[in-house]
Amino acid sequence: MRIRVINPNTTESMTATIAEAARAVAAPGTEISAATSGSGAVSIEGHYDEAMSIVGLVDAINADPDADAYVIACFGDPGLLAAREIARGPVLGIAEAAMHAASFLATGFSIVTTLERTRIIAEHLVRNYGMEHHCRRVRATDIPVLELDQPGSNARALILSECERAVAEDKAGAIVLGCAGMADLNAYLEMELGVPVIDGVAAAVKFAEALVGMGLKTSKRGDLAYPLHKPYKGSLADYAPPRRGNGGTV
Ligand code: 2AL
């Protein structure tokens, strides 16, 4: 099977980290097709960045319409439901996948993310995904996303300290890493902390393999049916949904 793993920010080096994490867990028969968004912000750290990332995400899905599944490799899960509308195969966001994985492994987890503003966005996701009973706390480290990519930065040490506080103060039984740029840190952190540390890229790839393996696809009934055909104006004219038969359910 082929899983299209999309980095919705435009930083290629981050895609390399994401692709490595995806390939490290992929089953022998799984091809990981990693893509970097061709338009938008170099890092996604707020609602505006997220909104602006969705056209690039749609482009990356449309460039590979026959992939068996898609992974949105950004912890805000930007454009997740829009992506599910246009894709036939399953679409997984790394935040949703990581929270579900953590809930299977511990009765309570904490999320350790980047900036304070991102922490607030992650709290919204916890509520949207019905994870309030599982998530003990969302913690920020005040590390900008692109600093995770800098060789000499002290990001690793700061993240470890925050994870240690989560285990000690929140009594978190597992840690969810709150950024795709942390995808290479889970093994190191798990060794230091002694609790499961979940990288959402790996979790999403494995859930995608499971869903595809069960022959399951995105529901095309109701709100995840293909978008309704209508004209779009201005710079988004080319994104007008095409006409489809059967009320958008096939
Ligand atoms: C992210 C992420 O995963 N990629 C990105 O650009 N921003 N998320 C975050 N919480 O900072």
Side-chain angles (χ1 to χ4, degrees), residues 7-9 14 18 41-45 73-76 94 113-115 118-119 143 145-146 148 178-181:
N7 173 15
N9 79 36
M14 216 168 121
I18 290 164
V42 293
S43 63
I44 298 170
E45 301 180 309
C74 172
F75 201 79
I94 65 168
T113 189
T114 53
L115 302 182
T118 314
R119 190 189 67 73
I143 303 167
V145 169
L146 293 185
L148 296 168
C179 182

Side-chain angles (χ1 to χ4, degrees), residues 5-89:
V5 178
I6 302 163
N7 173 15
N9 79 36
T10 48
T11 298
E12 299 272 359
S13 54
M14 216 168 121
T15 311
T17 304
I18 290 164
E20 201 176 317
R23 291 191 180 114
V25 296
T30 300
E31 181 197 337
I32 299 295
S33 156
T36 309
S37 172
S39 55
V42 293
S43 63
I44 298 170
E45 301 180 309
H47 299 292
Y48 183 82
D49 292 344
E50 284 194 6
M52 291 294 146
S53 75
I54 295 174
V55 167
L57 172 74
V58 165
D59 288 340
I61 293 171
N62 286 339
D64 191 359
D66 298 323
D68 294 292
Y70 302 85
V71 169
I72 302 175
C74 172
F75 201 79
D77 293 351
L80 178 59
L81 292 175
R84 286 181 178 152
E85 278 189 41
I86 62 169
R88 190 72 185 99

Side-chain angles (χ1 to χ4, degrees), residues 75-77 95 99 120-131:
F75 201 79
D77 293 351
M99 289 186 219
I120 298 166
I121 294 174
E123 278 185 346
H124 281 152
L125 289 182
V126 167
R127 286 196 288 276
N128 272 348
Y129 296 152
M131 284 283 163

Side-chain angles (χ1 to χ4, degrees), residues 229-242:
H229 171 67
K230 67 189 74 165
Y232 278 33
K233 294 184 180 175
S235 60
L236 294 181
D238 289 345
Y239 290 87

Side-chain angles (χ1 to χ4, degrees), residues 133 153 169 184 201:
H133 294 303
S153 97
E169 295 170 17
D184 55 348
V201 175

